[in-house]
Amino acid sequence: MSHANLLSKTLAARQNPSFQFQWSKTLDRATQHLSAEKEDIVLLDLELPGYQGFDAYLHLRRQYPTHPVVVLINSEQKMSGTEAVMQGAQDYLVKGQYDDELVGRVLNYAVERKRSEERLNQLSFYDPLTYLPNRILFIDRLRQAMMAANRYHQHVALLFLDIDRFRRINETLGYSVGDELLKAVAGRLTGNLYETDTITRIGSDEFVILLPNVVKMTHAVKVANKILGAFRLPFSIQGRELFMTCSMGISFFPNDGDDVEILLKNADKAMSLAKLRGRNNFQLYSSTMNAKTLERLELENHLRYAIERGELELFYQPQIDLKTGKMVGMEALLRWFHPNRGRLSPSEFLPLAEETGLILPIGEWVLETACRQTREWLEQGFPELRVAVNISDLQFREENFAWNVDRILKKTGLHPSSLELELTENIMMDKEGFSDASLDALKSTGVKLAIDDFGTGYSSLGTLKRFPVHTVKIDQSFVKEITTNPDDAAIANAIISMAHSLRLEVVAEGIELESQADFFKSHHCDKVQGYLFSKPLAVAEFSSLLEKQLAH
Ligand code: C2E
Ligand code: MG
Ligand code: MG
C-alpha cells in the first residue's frame, strides 16, 4: 500500500507526459475494470496476496493477452521480472529503486513500444497462423508476376482453393483442431508446390495459389490435380485422422482479367462452380461460364437430392375403355416440386436427368412408387387397374433392367399383369442396344409393354414383332386435328387396323374434345386418355375419382 501511495504521488507529480493513476487492491478487482480503450498500461505488483513468482502476471495475461504491462518486483525477485518480460511484459521496476524520472520513462516507453509493435504486426507480411504470405505480400507478388507475364507473353494462374465442409470441423471438433488443420493444409500445399509459387490464406479456410510464368495453361490443371491428390491422405490432427477434400477454381491472367481483384473474383466464381459440381474437384473460369450454365448447374445439383428430400411426386391420368366407358387403368406421370421454382413438368427436368444419368435412380423411384400405389388401390377394393409407367431409353438399356423390374414387383407385391411399361420407338429400332437374352428376361417378368408416342419415329409395326409388345399409343400429334385433317385421320386409322391385325391394343392419347373421342370410338380404338376425361391427378384426387366410379 505504501508503494501504491508512493507511486501515485510520484506519477501525479509528473508533467510531461502526465499520468492518470487508478489503483485496485486485488487483481480480480483490477481485471474487472480493465479495458483497452481506457487504460494505456497496467502496472502490476507481483507480490499480490495469493500469488507467487510471476503467477499474477500470467493470470492477467490469460485474460488480457494484448495489454501492455509493467511489473513491479522487490529486489530479491529479479528473476520473475525478467521472466515476465520474456512472457511479453513490456518492462519491470524494482521497488525502492526508482524515482519519478525512471517510472515516467519506463511507462512511457512501454506504451510507445506496444504501439509500434502493433503497427509492425499490421504491416508484416505473414499470416500469424500458417506463416504463409498474407494478402498484402501476395498481391504484391501477383502484380509482379503479371508484369513479367506481360513482358514474356506468358500466363499467370490463380488457384482459388476452399476446404470442403471446413466449418463442420470447427463446429464439431473445436477451433483448436480447425486451426491445426489449417496449418497442416498450408504445410501440405507448400510441400506440393514449387518455391516460386506463392500460397496465401485469404479467408478462414480459403487459400489462393499463385503460379507465375505459366507457359501452357494445362500446367495449372496439372497442379490442381496434384493438390486434389495431396488431399487424399488423411490429416492427423491431435490424434485424429481427418479426411478432407477441397474445391478449386482457376483463373488466368490475362485471359480472365487484367486486374488483381477481377482475377481473384473469377477464380472464386469458378471455385463455387466446383462446389456446385459436388466438391472435391476444380473448375476453370471462362467468360462463357454465363448465367445460363450456372442456372442449369444449380438445377442439376438440386435434382440430385430431389428423391431424398421427397420433392418428386407421381400424378396419375385415367385411361378409359371406349367400349364400357369405364376407367381401366392410368398412366403415372412424374412431377418435381422444386423448392424455389414450384411444380416442374417432365419436359423441364427430364432432359437434364437423362444427360446426367440421374434418370436411373429417378426411374427406379417412379417404378417402385407406381407399383406400390397401384397395389394399394387394388387392395382397397377398387376395380382391376393397370398402371402404365414411362421408361427412359437409358433405363431400359441397363443390363439389370428386367431383374430390377422383377425385384420391384416382388417388393411391392404387385402382379406383373397390372404393370405396363411405356417404351419409346427408339428402343424398338436399336438392335444392338440389348440382347435377345435381356428381352427374354423382360418377357419372363410377365409385364406388358407399350410403345409410346407411336408414329413419330421411324419404326414400323413390323419392327415390333421382335418385342413382346402389348399396346400401341397413338401420338398426340395425330389426335389434335383428327377431325379436320384427313391425313391424320388416315394415319390413325391405319395404325389402329394394323395393330389390331397383330392383336395389339391401341390407346389414343391427348383427347380433349368430344368429337375426337367419337372418332376413335367409331374406329374401334380400345382406350383413350386425355383432358376430356381427366387431367393427370395427385394421389388423393385420383382416389376420390376411383371412389366415385365405385359408387356408380
Ligand atoms: P407421355 O408419356 O406421352 O405422356 C403424355 C403427356 O401428355 C403428359 O405430359 C400428359 O400430361 C399430357 N396429356 C395428357 N392428356 C392430354 C391432353 O388431353 N392434352 C394435352 N395437350 N396433353 C395431355 P407430361 O406429364 O408433361 O409428360 C410429358 C412426357 O414426359 C411424357 O410423355 C413422358 O414421355 C415423360 N414422362 C413423364 N413421366 C415420366 C417418368 O416417370 N419417367 C420417364 N422416363 N418419362 C416420363
Ligand atoms: Mg407415356
Ligand atoms: Mg405419349
Side-chain angles (χ1 to χ4, degrees):
M1 192 154 87
S2 55
H3 276 292
N5 271 333
L6 198 67
L7 263 174
S8 58
K9 274 202 196 111
T10 312
L11 290 173
R14 277 202 61 91
Q15 286 293 316
N16 193 18
S18 68
F19 291 94
Q20 277 188 340
F21 189 70
Q22 237 213 323
W23 172 44
S24 299
K25 265 189 188 169
T26 65
L27 190 52
D28 277 348
R29 182 109 38 97
T31 52
Q32 274 167 20
H33 296 293
L34 215 53
S35 85
E37 293 82 51
K38 280 196 302 199
E39 286 86 16
D40 289 308
I41 190 153
V42 178
L43 195 54
L44 176 71
D45 190 344
L46 283 186
E47 285 187 294
L48 287 174
Y51 293 98
Q52 291 197 329
F54 65 111
D55 286 353
Y57 171 75
L58 291 179
H59 185 84
L60 179 72
R61 256 293 163 262
R62 244 171 265 137
Q63 287 185 57
Y64 297 93
T66 56
H67 254 71
V69 176
V70 169
V71 294
L72 205 56
I73 59 176
N74 67 38
S75 48
E76 285 96 60
Q77 257 185 329
K78 275 205 180 121
M79 267 317 283
S80 299
T82 343
E83 276 176 89
V85 168
M86 281 167 72
Q87 295 283 335
Q90 302 298 311
D91 210 340
Y92 64 92
L93 286 166
V94 182
K95 288 175 188 170
Q97 297 184 8
Y98 54 73
D99 53 14
D100 65 331
E101 183 63 40
L102 182 66
V103 175
R105 207 167 56 222
V106 164
L107 294 187
N108 204 24
Y109 275 3
V111 173
E112 270 316 307
R113 203 178 307 135
K114 186 72 198 170
R115 281 195 190 134
S116 58
E117 223 171 67
E118 266 162 19
R119 261 198 305 274
L120 256 178
N121 252 341
Q122 263 179 11
L123 285 176
S124 78
F125 298 120
Y126 292 88
D127 170 26
L129 181 71
T130 59
Y131 303 116
L132 291 173
N134 68 9
R135 197 185 171 106
I136 299 171
L137 182 53
F138 180 82
I139 286 179
D140 187 59
R141 289 198 187 159
L142 176 54
R143 288 221 167 90
Q144 290 202 357
M146 281 159 61
M147 284 190 280
N150 256 343
R151 182 157 345 119
Y152 302 112
H153 304 289
Q154 293 174 338
H155 304 275
V156 177
L158 285 190
L159 273 73
F160 200 108
L161 181 154
D162 188 290
I163 304 175
D164 295 330
R165 303 195 162 95
F166 176 76
R167 217 176 48 172
R168 223 179 35 186
I169 298 286
N170 269 344
E171 282 169 2
T172 57
L173 303 174
Y175 285 91
S176 86
V177 173
D179 282 355
E180 289 302 312
L181 177 63
L182 289 173
K183 282 193 223 174
V185 167
R188 198 166 289 183
L189 289 176
T190 312
N192 278 280
L193 294 163
Y194 293 140
E195 268 174 36
T196 45
D197 303 334
T198 300
I199 314 166
T200 184
R201 190 164 68 105
I202 209 158
S204 73
D205 65 328
E206 290 170 337
F207 296 82
V208 182
I209 297 152
L210 161 66
L211 308 178
N213 46 60
V214 171
V215 180
K216 277 191 192 159
M217 292 196 190
T218 48
H219 171 65
V221 170
K222 276 190 195 142
V223 172
N225 270 321
K226 194 171 173 198
I227 292 172
L228 287 178
F231 267 74
R232 254 170 235 138
L233 290 174
F235 292 88
S236 49
I237 309 289
Q238 298 182 7
R240 280 197 175 80
E241 302 259 276
L242 300 178
F243 285 88
M244 306 301 297
T245 57
C246 66
S247 302
M248 283 172 280
I250 306 175
S251 69
F252 291 98
F253 169 84
N255 301 39
D256 299 328
D258 51 11
D259 165 287
V260 168
E261 289 306 321
I262 290 175
L263 281 170
L264 276 172
K265 205 177 75 196
N266 289 343
D268 188 5
K269 265 195 206 161
M271 185 278 290
S272 307
L273 194 68
K275 293 262 179 202
L276 271 177
R277 291 215 163 140
R279 302 187 178 89
N280 194 20
N281 74 98
F282 64 87
Q283 297 294 325
L284 303 179
Y285 177 85
S286 76
S287 19
T288 51
M289 199 181 90
N290 54 25
K292 216 171 168 134
T293 36
L294 262 180
E295 186 189 303
R296 217 191 83 109
L297 274 167
E298 244 146 8
L299 197 67
E300 178 187 326
N301 199 39
H302 260 108
L303 189 56
R304 231 167 255 285
Y305 301 102
I307 297 180
E308 55 190 71
R309 289 186 185 145
E311 291 167 4
L312 298 183
E313 199 176 322
L314 284 186
F315 275 47
Y316 297 88
Q317 185 176 37
Q319 293 182 332
I320 314 295
D321 184 323
L322 274 177
K323 277 196 216 81
T324 62
K326 288 248 157 74
M327 182 183 353
V328 288
M330 63 280 179
E331 178 175 7
L333 294 159
L334 185 59
R335 302 289 179 262
W336 177 17
F337 290 83
H338 187 282
N340 312 326
R341 296 170 161 216
R343 192 173 96 178
L344 299 181
S345 64
S347 61
E348 289 169 281
F349 65 90
L350 276 185
L352 188 64
E354 301 260 354
E355 268 174 57
T356 54
L358 285 170
I359 190 66
L360 297 176
I362 290 175
E364 199 172 313
W365 177 89
V366 168
L367 192 58
E368 186 169 332
T369 308
C371 288
R372 179 169 302 118
Q373 185 58 61
T374 305
R375 162 88 202 261
E376 234 169 77
W377 277 323
L378 290 173
E379 266 180 359
Q380 285 166 15
F382 293 124
E384 275 299 302
L385 288 175
R386 192 200 297 153
V387 68
V389 176
N390 292 284
I391 302 295
S392 109
D393 295 3
L394 207 67
Q395 217 180 338
F396 190 77
R397 287 199 185 97
E398 276 260 291
E399 210 174 316
N400 59 354
F401 178 68
W403 178 85
N404 229 353
V405 171
D406 200 46
R407 182 182 60 86
I408 289 173
L409 284 170
K410 292 204 171 92
K411 188 173 170 191
T412 57
L414 187 72
H415 194 272
S417 63
S418 302
L419 176 63
E420 184 166 70
L421 304 179
E422 293 195 1
L423 311 178
T424 70
E425 268 186 277
N426 298 337
I427 285 290
M428 306 293 137
M429 298 301 290
D430 180 3
K431 290 201 182 72
E432 278 85 51
F434 34 82
S435 61
D436 284 334
S438 60
L439 271 184
D440 286 344
L442 194 61
K443 242 184 256 178
S444 64
T445 61
V447 298
K448 297 192 159 58
L449 298 185
I451 306 304
D452 205 352
D453 307 335
F454 189 79
T456 52
Y458 297 101
S459 66
S460 66
L461 284 171
T463 56
L464 306 188
K465 274 198 304 194
R466 187 169 164 233
F467 286 79
V469 172
H470 180 271
T471 307
V472 172
K473 295 186 86 173
I474 301 177
D475 190 67
Q476 298 192 16
S477 58
F478 304 116
V479 175
K480 222 173 187 171
E481 293 168 15
I482 197 94
T483 53
T484 52
N485 186 331
D487 287 346
D488 286 349
I491 292 169
N493 204 10
I495 294 175
I496 294 170
S497 46
M498 278 169 72
H500 278 166
S501 64
L502 287 163
R503 288 175 304 280
L504 302 178
E505 211 175 81
V506 185
V507 178
E509 57 179 342
I511 309 282
E512 295 179 358
L513 305 169
E514 229 27 280
S515 56
Q516 294 165 341
D518 289 343
F519 174 94
F520 285 103
K521 197 168 181 179
S522 62
H523 286 84
H524 309 291
C525 179
D526 303 282
K527 292 186 205 165
V528 280
Q529 189 185 330
Y531 294 166
L532 175 66
F533 309 98
S534 168
K535 291 201 163 188
L537 303 171
V539 169
E541 292 173 290
F542 195 86
S543 293
S544 43
L545 193 70
L546 283 172
E547 270 160 31
K548 245 186 261 161
Q549 170 154 323
L550 205 59
H552 268 282

